[in-house]
Amino acid sequence: MRGYDRAQVDELLGRIAGALNGGPPVTADEVRAVRFDIVLRGYEQRAVDELVQECVRELQTAAPIGQRPGRPRVHPGWLINWIQDSRFSGAGMRAGYDVRDVDAFLDRVVSGLRGAAPPVTARDVRECVFRAVRLGPGYDEQEVDRFLAQLAGALERR
């Protein structure tokens, strides 16, 4: 029956949404410092706390590079060289990712970094799927998956 004051919560969420959409800035520290009154028929406290934590993470991600906690910026030129210099082991007798699929995807990432094609996001990297081959040229799946996880993290820090 008792929970956070609905008007206070709605006001904060409105400010956060505005900041994420180009409005007046709100910092993650400001959001962390907010305290809500406990009232009858308020919002469930735990649900609001979880939502506010998610908003803090979103604000940190959207913050200018210098204000993001613990994540140095990755220069696109370095990232292009790193991708082009990557080499993967063959799958041997096991199933592996189709070499053509992996190479084409990484070429698309590089083209996006150079501005010659639409940019590839970290989400695109995490959601990419490659055909598996048993006979023919294939890359070691675990090796490629580890590389893609690192690539997604680097794209987030661009």
Side-chain angles (χ1 to χ4, degrees):
M1 295 289 287
R2 297 178 61 82
Y4 290 141
D5 183 291
R6 290 174 181 257
Q8 292 174 348
V9 172
D10 291 343
E11 189 272 332
L12 176 65
L13 294 177
R15 285 181 48 215
I16 292 169
L20 291 172
N21 290 313
V26 177
T27 67
D29 290 334
E30 287 177 73
V31 173
R32 282 190 205 99
V34 170
R35 298 293 176 253
F36 303 112
D37 295 332
I38 306 292
V39 298
L40 283 176
R41 297 188 181 148
Y43 287 132
E44 181 185 343
Q45 295 173 28
R46 194 177 99 226
V48 171
D49 290 341
E50 290 172 2
L51 178 59
V52 168
Q53 280 303 106
E54 183 63 31
C55 289
V56 165
R57 284 190 288 276
E58 189 70 24
L59 286 168
Q60 288 174 331
T61 301
I65 296 292
Q67 295 177 9
R68 294 182 191 176
R71 302 190 86 182
R73 183 170 183 219
V74 175
H75 190 272
W78 179 88
L79 197 51
I80 290 169
N81 288 335
W82 178 64
I83 292 168
Q84 290 177 330
D85 292 342
S86 64
R87 300 288 177 259
F88 305 109
S89 302
M93 298 304 289
R94 301 179 318 249
Y97 290 139
D98 187 307
V99 168
R100 293 167 298 198
D101 288 354
V102 175
D103 290 346
F105 180 76
L106 293 178
D107 287 344
R108 196 172 116 222
V109 173
V110 169
S111 293
L113 289 167
R114 287 187 173 140
V120 175
T121 65
R123 181 178 181 178
D124 295 333
V125 173
R126 287 190 186 94
E127 293 177 353
C128 69
V129 177
F130 303 113
R131 290 179 291 175
V133 294
R134 288 208 178 276
L135 300 173
Y139 289 137
D140 181 89
E141 292 178 6
Q142 291 179 343
E143 213 174 293
V144 172
D145 289 341
R146 279 192 301 272
F147 177 81
L148 292 176
Q150 292 174 339
L151 177 59
L155 287 172
E156 287 177 337
R157 294 190 307 268
R158 276 195 41 211

